[in-house]
Amino acid sequence: MRRKGILNVKLSRAISEMGHDDIMLVVDAGFPMVYDDRVIDLALCPGVPDLRTVLSAIRQDMWVEAFYMIEEAKANNPNAWGTTNDVFPDALPDTRPNSWFHEEGYHGAKYIVRTGGWMPWGNVALISGIPVKEWFDNTGGDVPDSWTERHTLNVKHGMKGVK
């Protein structure tokens, strides 16, 4: 039996399968979707589990390089925007139109995690990344120029693993 961390078998496996630049959508209880193999439904009842609980659990095991929220979230749901920034202070925050979450984001997501989130604009796209310095430490060489931008972003945002 696991001693700590994510106990949900499907979510634990999903995080293990994420590669850099893969998308994991964490959505509210009302998000319209087809229940296929990508969906991990954690919702129990309105508000359970909430967005912070789910994001905090994911944070324990997944390297999140960036996240997107719906454009209106900053102004209309500052609680969700603030929560996501609090949980992922070292990730690059950005926004996308609501339509992106229902079209490109939905179709491009490797996994979709449904929370019991009971609020508008509470959807988050987590972009899986890598700790660039750690990734290249065992090569005996420097971080290649083609990775400089990603490395610079890691350093600029104080991401763990950057020396």
Side-chain angles (χ1 to χ4, degrees):
M1 182 170 174
R2 286 188 78 144
R3 293 180 60 185
K4 59 183 179 177
I6 294 174
L7 299 178
N8 182 285
V9 173
K10 195 167 180 185
L11 182 55
S12 181
R13 179 178 177 167
I15 291 170
S16 295
E17 292 178 357
M18 296 291 288
H20 53 83
D21 298 327
D22 281 344
I23 298 170
M24 177 180 283
L25 284 184
V26 179
V27 301
D28 59 40
F31 192 85
M33 64 187 145
V34 174
Y35 279 78
D36 58 23
D37 290 338
R38 301 177 307 149
V39 175
I40 302 164
D41 193 344
L42 302 177
L44 181 61
C45 60
V48 179
D50 65 353
L51 182 63
R52 179 179 291 278
T53 300
V54 173
L55 292 179
S56 295
I58 291 170
R59 164 85 183 182
Q60 293 178 43
D61 293 332
M62 185 172 147
W63 182 271
V64 175
E65 187 169 285
F67 68 83
Y68 307 147
M69 292 191 75
I70 298 170
E71 290 170 340
E72 293 85 357
K74 253 181 162 174
N76 298 321
N77 192 344
N79 290 342
W81 181 261
T83 290
T84 308
N85 275 285
D86 288 349
V87 173
F88 298 105
D90 49 4
L92 296 169
D94 205 351
T95 60
R96 296 288 183 269
N98 190 43
S99 60
W100 181 91
F101 280 82
H102 296 280
E103 296 164 9
E104 186 180 340
Y106 174 76
H107 294 293
K110 193 167 196 172
Y111 288 99
I112 302 156
V113 180
R114 181 176 177 243
T115 72
W118 206 251
M119 61 182 149
W121 305 291
N123 304 319
V124 182
L126 303 176
I127 313 305
S128 183
I130 60 167
V132 175
K133 179 74 169 100
E134 287 178 18
W135 191 250
F136 284 95
D137 269 352
N138 294 323
T139 66
D142 294 327
V143 174
D145 289 343
S146 60
W147 287 76
T148 300
E149 181 181 1
R150 181 171 269 161
H151 178 62
T152 301
L153 292 174
N154 282 190
V155 172
K156 179 179 176 185
H157 289 275
M159 293 182 175
K160 289 191 285 184
V162 177
K163 298 175 184 170

